[in-house]
Amino acid sequence: MIEHVDILIIGAGPAGIHAALAAAPSGLRIVLLDDNPLPGGQIWRDGPQASLPTQATRLRERLQACANVQIQGSTRVIARPAPHQLLVENDQRGWIIGYAKLILCTGARELLLPFPGWSLPGVTGAGGLQALIKGGLPVAGERVVVAGSGPLLLASAHSATKNGARILRIAEQASTRAVAGFAMQLPRWPHKWLQSLQLFSPAYRPGSHVLAALGDDRLEGVRLMQQGRIRELPCDRLACGFGLVPNTQLGEALGCALQDRAIAVDAWQASSLADHFAAGECTGFGGSELASVEGSIAGHSAAGDQAAARRLWPQRARWQGFAAVLNRAFALDPALAALCAPDTLVCRCEDVPFAALAAHCSWREAKLATRCGMGACQGRVCGAATAHLFGWQPSAPRPPFSPARIETLLRLDGQPPS
C-alpha cells in the first residue's frame, strides 16, 4: 500500500519547518519527515542537557496546530522505488510515500579534515561536541580545545562552557585580517552582531589551526600552529570542524543538478528536477535565518502561491549577503590539505591511510582499490575529506541510502512483509 501526499518535506530543521508552515494554509496534505524524533534539526536538537530557544518551541507549537501537516519523526529515506515515490522506514515499519511535490531540506554536516591523531578517543567534531553535550555527555571540569573554522567553533565552545568545561583555546584557521573584516560588517545584521558578542571568548585565536592530536590510547594534548608558531596544549577533549558540507546525497540520487557541490535552485527554490524543490543548507551554507526564508519560499512555491514566495525575495537577498560575507571570511586555507602524514587514516571506517589514497586519481578508483567510503558512514566523512584533499567528486549514492530492515527492502518488489 502506498501513502499519497501533496507535499513531502525531507528534513525538519529551520528550512523544513518553515516550508511546512508556508504551505499549510493551502490545505494540501503535507508530510514532514526527519530522522530525529522531534522537529528542530541539528540547531534545535533535543536532549537531556538541551535548552531549546523560545523560537524553536513556538515553531513546534505552530506545526502541531496545522491539521493538514503530519510529522514523521525518527524516519529515514531508504530508496526511490519509482518517480515521485520514496521508500521510508521508522522504528516500527517501512512504507512507500507517493508525492506530487517534494521539498529537500536535508541540511548540512560538518567537514572533518584528517590530521595525525584525529581518530583518538576524545576527538570529535565541533558540532559533534555540541550534540553530545545536549545528549547528556558530562564535560564539567574538562580542558577543551576547539579548532577549525567558522562561527560553529564559538557556539560549540559556548555550549561546553555552559556545562562546566574549561576552554583553553579556540583555534580559528581564518586570518586575523579576515576575521576582523567579517566582524566589521556584522552590524549590517544586528541580530548576528549581538549573537557574536554573546558567544565571544577570550580563548579565541585567529590564524591558528590544528597540526596533530597527541596521545596513545586517548587524547592527551593538541599541537597547534598559532600565528606561525607551534604550540602544544595538554587537554582532555578536542572538538575540530572545518565548516559545513551540504547534504546532497538524496538530491543527487533523485537527479537534481549540483552547483558548487550544493543542490542548484532557481529563484523559486526549484531544483533542476520538475516538482522538486530544495531549501536550507543543502543548497549552500548561510545560517538558520537564510535557511528559514528559503524554506518559506519553497513552501509557498510548492503550494502554488508564487506571489507570497516573491514577497520574501528581498529578505532572502539580505541573508544571502550575510552568507557571502561569512563564506568569504572563513574560506579554508589551502595549507589545511597538507595536514595528513602518510599513515594518517582518512577513511576511519575501513582503516584506509592517506598514502593508500594518494596513489589514485579519482574517488571511484580509490574506492575500488582500498574500500574507502564503503564503511558505516558510506563516504559521508571521507568523501568530503577527499574532495578537499584531492579535488575528487564522490559518485551519487545508490540505494539503500540508510541501513534498513529486510522487510522494508522487500517493499521495493511490491512484497508486503509477512
Side-chain angles (χ1 to χ4, degrees):
M1 183 174 178
I2 299 176
E3 176 184 3
H4 292 280
V5 302
D6 296 306
I7 299 176
L8 176 61
I9 303 170
I10 308 296
I17 291 173
H18 281 84
L21 291 173
S26 67
L28 296 172
R29 187 178 179 208
I30 300 163
V31 167
L32 178 60
L33 182 153
D34 196 276
D35 57 1
N36 287 315
L38 293 170
Q42 298 304 316
I43 190 170
W44 297 323
R45 175 189 283 267
D46 269 298
Q49 294 177 179
S51 178
L52 286 180
T54 303
Q55 178 188 9
T57 303
R58 287 177 177 169
L59 287 170
R60 284 184 181 176
E61 291 171 351
R62 288 177 60 193
L63 276 177
Q64 294 291 343
C66 297
N68 60 322
V69 177
Q70 180 186 5
I71 302 170
Q72 290 283 359
S74 301
T75 304
R76 301 161 296 282
V77 177
I78 305 302
R80 181 199 189 199
H84 286 250
Q85 290 184 5
L86 290 177
L87 174 67
V88 302
E89 179 187 81
N90 62 18
D91 295 337
Q92 287 77 42
R93 65 188 180 110
W95 74 103
I96 294 174
I97 299 181
Y99 57 86
K101 304 285 180 65
L102 177 74
I103 305 177
L104 292 167
C105 301
T106 47
R109 62 190 184 279
E110 277 194 276
L111 173 60
L112 304 175
L113 297 181
F115 52 86
W118 77 309
S119 57
L120 283 171
V123 182
T124 66
L129 177 60
Q130 267 195 313
L132 288 168
I133 290 173
K134 290 178 181 180
L137 176 73
V139 294
E142 290 190 345
R143 301 165 298 171
V144 177
V145 172
V146 182
S149 192
L152 183 58
L153 304 187
L154 288 170
S156 180
H158 182 72
S159 296
T161 300
K162 280 178 58 179
N163 285 273
R166 185 156 60 97
I167 303 299
L168 303 182
R169 184 72 75 247
I170 304 173
E172 167 57 61
Q173 63 86 38
S175 68
T176 302
R177 181 177 180 180
V179 173
F182 174 70
M184 289 177 65
Q185 296 200 57
L186 274 181
R188 293 168 54 192
W189 304 276
H191 170 70
K192 289 295 187 183
W193 181 62
L194 290 173
Q195 191 178 59
S196 69
L197 293 178
Q198 293 167 354
L199 294 179
F200 182 76
S201 167
Y204 188 80
R205 298 289 188 279
S208 306
H209 65 264
V210 66
L211 292 176
L214 309 175
D216 295 321
D217 297 324
R218 68 161 288 113
L219 180 73
E220 297 173 9
V222 60
R223 181 178 298 129
L224 300 170
M225 177 65 74
Q226 183 174 306
Q227 298 286 355
R229 301 178 63 180
I230 295 177
R231 294 284 307 275
E232 290 191 2
L233 297 173
C235 62
D236 305 302
R237 194 170 297 280
L238 170 62
C240 195
F242 293 90
L244 298 174
V245 180
N247 279 326
T248 63
Q249 286 86 352
L250 181 56
E252 288 182 81
L254 295 176
C256 298
L258 300 186
Q259 182 176 4
D260 298 327
R261 294 181 176 167
I263 298 176
V265 293
D266 64 12
W268 307 103
Q269 299 298 138
S271 76
S272 62
L273 190 62
D275 299 325
H276 289 66
F277 300 80
E281 291 174 343
C282 62
T283 68
F285 175 61
S288 61
E289 294 84 1
L290 178 58
S292 296
V293 69
E294 287 180 346
S296 295
I297 292 172
H300 287 307
S301 298
D305 191 349
Q306 291 194 323
R310 188 187 292 272
R311 286 195 293 271
L312 293 172
W313 286 4
Q315 186 179 344
R316 179 180 58 190
R318 180 170 179 265
W319 288 112
Q320 285 174 334
F322 171 76
V325 171
L326 175 73
N327 293 326
R328 186 164 55 247
F330 295 100
L332 295 183
D333 188 330
L336 296 174
L339 294 178
C340 289
D343 62 347
T344 301
L345 294 181
V346 176
C347 176
R348 297 182 295 187
C349 297
E350 295 293 329
D351 292 337
V352 182
F354 177 83
L357 295 174
H360 302 285
C361 61
S362 71
W363 169 258
R364 176 176 173 80
E365 182 183 313
K367 187 175 181 179
L368 290 172
T370 69
R371 292 188 55 83
C372 180
M374 298 179 71
C377 86
Q378 287 293 286
R380 288 176 175 82
V381 175
C382 58
T386 57
H388 184 79
L389 294 173
F390 306 112
W392 294 346
Q393 178 61 49
S395 53
R398 294 183 293 179
F401 306 132
S402 298
R405 296 186 294 270
I406 295 297
E407 56 265 33
T408 297
L409 295 176
L410 286 173
R411 292 187 177 275
L412 290 172
D413 290 328
Q415 301 180 40
S418 58

